[in-house]
Amino acid sequence: MDKFVLSVLVENKFGVLARIAGLFSARGYNIDSLAVGETEDPNFSRMTIVVESDERILEQIKKQLNKLIDVIRVQDLTGGEYVSRELILIKVKATNAKTREQLVKIVDSTGAEIVDAGKKFVTIEESGDEHQINALIELLRPYGITEITRTGKIALQAD
């Protein structure tokens, strides 16, 4: 099984997300990540869908997506060059000054940012590709990660 990245341009209308999610659900295809937002034209939204499948199932998914009336274009970015990013917020235990100092060093060396600091925890934000995000998680894991939230991948074809 490989991971594939699909960029799906759709009508920006009520229920489109539910129809696409329903298509995946009804056929038993798992969505690894899904991010959706309005494009430069407010009439359209772009979905970045990451799926783990084989080539045969991917072709079925693309054909099914293209049958939906609200879908304008389905583009498989996997084989070509594309730019992708993901955003993550990580809450880490930070109960003493020494730990906070170490976390600041990690944040400074990785380009991440501390976006909230309380008495017991700090929340760190990072955006980047999947490898950068996973590397930061591994650096912070020994300190005690208490919560993680990720946006899922967003991607555009490179020129």
Side-chain angles (χ1 to χ4, degrees), residues 88-130:
I88 186 169
L89 293 174
I90 309 170
K91 187 183 279 186
V92 183
K93 291 181 185 173
T95 54
N96 61 55
K98 182 179 178 185
T99 300
R100 288 176 183 275
E101 186 177 310
Q102 291 170 338
L103 291 173
V104 168
K105 284 181 183 176
I106 290 171
V107 165
D108 288 346
S109 70
T110 60
E113 183 179 353
I114 294 176
V115 293
D116 186 47
K119 291 181 180 178
K120 297 179 181 176
F121 304 98
V122 295
T123 303
I124 298 167
E125 172 192 313
E126 171 75 299
S127 67
D129 65 26
E130 185 177 357

Side-chain angles (χ1 to χ4, degrees), residues 50-137:
V50 179
V51 295
E52 189 171 312
S53 72
D54 59 30
E55 291 280 347
R56 186 184 60 80
I57 291 174
L58 179 68
E59 287 306 314
Q60 291 174 356
I61 290 171
K62 291 191 297 189
K63 286 179 183 174
Q64 294 296 320
L65 285 170
N66 278 314
K67 288 181 181 177
L68 295 176
I69 195 161
D70 300 314
V71 173
I72 309 299
R73 185 179 63 217
V74 177
Q75 189 175 15
D76 181 4
L77 299 177
T78 311
E81 290 188 32
Y82 64 94
V83 177
S84 68
R85 291 290 181 265
E86 186 175 341
L87 176 68
I88 186 169
L89 293 174
I90 309 170
K91 187 183 279 186
V92 183
K93 291 181 185 173
T95 54
N96 61 55
K98 182 179 178 185
T99 300
R100 288 176 183 275
E101 186 177 310
Q102 291 170 338
L103 291 173
V104 168
K105 284 181 183 176
I106 290 171
V107 165
D108 288 346
S109 70
T110 60
E113 183 179 353
I114 294 176
V115 293
D116 186 47
K119 291 181 180 178
K120 297 179 181 176
F121 304 98
V122 295
T123 303
I124 298 167
E125 172 192 313
E126 171 75 299
S127 67
D129 65 26
E130 185 177 357
H131 299 293
Q132 288 173 284
I133 300 291
N134 290 338
L136 179 62
I137 291 171

Side-chain angles (χ1 to χ4, degrees), residues 7-26:
S7 178
V8 183
L9 188 65
V10 299
E11 298 278 344
N12 188 8
K13 296 189 316 193
F14 175 81
V16 173
L17 177 59
R19 283 189 282 282
I20 290 179
L23 179 150
F24 278 82
S25 175

